Amino acid sequence: MTYRFYLYISDVKVDMLLSQLAPSAAATRTTEVGVDLKFVNGRRAVESSPDTDAVGKLEKVLKRLDKQDVIGTVGEPGPFFRGRMLMRWGAPAHGDDRSLVFFGGRTARTIVALGGSTRHVLGSADDAADGPPLARSLLPSLMDGLRLDPRIAALLTSATDTDAPDDPDDVTLRAVREATDGMPGPAQTVEFVAKRLLQGPDPDAGNGTTVLLGSPLYVALAD
């Protein structure tokens, strides 16, 4: 038997994708209920539907995305990418803000970072939803969350205060690399599928290293 110990599931992204990838699911369920109402009601009392269970909906979305061949790898990401690697993670605490959860790690040639809202971390308090106006899964808000770190703020400020400011994408890639390398705590082996938000060569490496930033559909412990 295989199972996942989930750390993070983004129900918002899963629901959004499910409504587009499986729009006929609701109609199919309605037809099935009409076949034998007494029998179905009996089963509904003891079983949870895969269309209302968070893990069931996630699995359905992943199967559809795999079928459409839109999930790439960390080395060759598509619109989505999956991976299994050592990452450090947590909710960076700068000031009183804990609305961002950040996962960061490296492979031989890729710096990988994932960011989202702490309210999608399993077991988080309900009041974690009282965060910023924009969800942390969106790139501008994710970067705003990283900017609360004084090191990242100084990096972004110095890049814009010069007479010839750096390319905005390069500045963002540097900030993602800095946040990834600065994550405290022990590393854990995790697996994930994420939406690609930003990708590009590390502006300072010069050795072919790529920075990849995504927002996860899920993250689970893999060890």
Side-chain angles (χ1 to χ4, degrees):
M1 179 179 178
T2 60
Y3 67 91
R4 293 190 182 113
F5 190 91
Y6 290 97
L7 301 173
Y8 177 105
I9 297 177
S10 176
D11 57 311
V12 173
K13 288 193 285 294
V14 168
D15 286 343
M16 175 182 64
L17 290 168
L18 186 62
S19 67
Q20 299 173 71
L21 295 170
S24 61
T28 301
R29 290 197 305 276
T30 301
T31 301
E32 291 173 349
V33 169
V35 173
D36 190 335
L37 187 60
K38 181 182 293 185
F39 175 72
V40 172
N41 281 343
R43 292 192 63 187
R44 292 289 180 180
V46 296
E47 293 183 1
S48 61
S49 166
D51 294 313
T52 57
D53 173 72
V55 175
K57 290 191 291 185
L58 171 65
E59 292 294 340
K60 179 173 286 189
V61 167
L62 294 177
K63 287 179 182 178
R64 295 299 179 101
L65 293 176
D66 276 326
K67 186 175 182 180
Q68 294 186 9
D69 196 27
V70 294
I71 304 180
T73 64
V74 166
E76 296 182 0
F80 297 84
F81 61 96
R82 67 162 39 94
R84 178 188 174 101
M85 58 186 291
L86 283 170
M87 302 187 91
R88 291 181 171 83
W89 70 282
H94 303 292
D96 294 326
D97 186 271
R98 281 187 172 271
S99 59
L100 170 67
V101 60
F102 190 83
F103 300 81
R106 284 178 175 258
T107 67
R109 301 299 294 270
T110 309
I111 299 167
V112 184
L114 310 173
S117 300
T118 52
R119 70 189 186 93
H120 298 312
V121 176
L122 272 68
S124 62
D126 291 338
D127 59 5
D130 298 328
L134 291 178
R136 290 302 191 200
S137 296
L138 302 176
L139 183 56
S141 182
L142 198 164
M143 295 309 300
D144 284 343
L146 293 182
R147 191 178 283 110
L148 295 173
D149 183 333
R151 297 175 302 111
I152 306 299
L155 177 67
L156 297 175
T157 300
S158 63
T160 56
D161 283 349
T162 61
D163 292 334
D166 292 341
D167 181 276
D169 285 349
D170 286 352
V171 174
T172 301
L173 293 170
R174 285 192 183 98
V176 172
R177 181 197 64 215
E178 187 75 16
T180 299
D181 291 344
M183 281 298 296
Q188 293 181 293
T189 301
V190 299
E191 64 175 69
F192 56 85
V193 170
K195 176 71 179 77
R196 176 171 52 85
L197 297 179
L198 187 68
Q199 179 189 15
D202 185 338
D204 303 316
N207 60 358
T209 300
T210 297
V211 179
L212 176 61
L213 175 64
S215 182
L217 298 183
Y218 83 90
V219 182
L221 288 177
D223 56 351

